Each structure stands twice: as structure tokens, then as C-alpha cells.
Amino acid sequence: QVHLVESGGGSVQAGGSLRLSCVASRRSNCMGWFRQVPGKEREGVATIDIHGAATYAESVKGRFTVSRDDAKNTLYLQMNSLKPEDTAMFLCAARSGTYCGTEPVAYGYWGQGTQVTVSS
């Protein structure tokens, strides 16, 4: 079992930045950030494996950076050049297997989420 707690969400204007954090109760091979808007499917944003290999959704490439500090069991998401369409609940997830892609269905452990709102 892995317990995940996100923080760092908030309200910013377009073009602004936010840094999300996710503290895990134990280390996992793969951790990632996902987002969900009411009425839409949950989508993968960025994932990173224990070796530091990262995968990003096309919509955030060049703007978001995922990183992890395994000494602190913490996952981060640095979000720059935010757009109104980035507004969503951002959730942290973890899994133990070798797959480390952005398909939400592959992840068994989820946090409660942190809201990000970007105004134009």
C-alpha cells in the first residue's frame, strides 16, 4: 500500500507558474501526475521512473518538468507558462511495475488531488 499526499495547487494567471509536490509513504518504481476536469476522462500529464526517465503528455512538453527526490519519497511537478486549459484537479499516482507510461488505468495508488486554476 502506498499513501500519497499532494500539495502546491492554487490559482494563478495565465503565464504564471506553480510547483506541485506529492509525498509518498514509500518509494515506488513509477510515479506520475495526472489531471482531471469534471465530465472528462482522467489524463496523464507526466510520469517518471526510479531511474529518472520521464514521459510527458504532448500538451505540456516544454512547459512542465517532473522530478523526484527518493530520499524524501517526494514527487514534484514544476509547471511554467500555465494556460487556462491547464485548469484541473491534479492527482499523484504510483505503481510498482516496470510500466511507467501515462495510462491512468495502470496505476493502483492515488492521492486525493490538488486543484490548479489558471485564469486568463
Side-chain angles (χ1 to χ4, degrees), residues 3 29 82 99:
H3 185 58
N29 178 67
L82 282 161
Y99 173 80

Side-chain angles (χ1 to χ4, degrees), residues 14-68:
S17 298
L18 283 173
R19 189 193 194 203
L20 306 183
S21 298
C22 171
V23 178
S25 58
R26 65 172 177 82
R27 187 181 302 181
S28 297
N29 178 67
C30 181
M31 298 184 74
W33 290 100
F34 297 76
R35 62 187 178 187
Q36 188 158 25
V37 175
K40 293 189 176 182
E41 292 188 356
R42 189 170 294 182
E43 67 166 341
V45 175
T47 62
I48 185 168
D49 71 12
I50 202 164
H51 304 295
T55 301
Y56 294 93
E58 285 295 325
S59 60
V60 306
K61 282 183 179 179
R63 300 189 298 125
F64 292 7
T65 302
V66 63
S67 61
R68 59 191 289 170

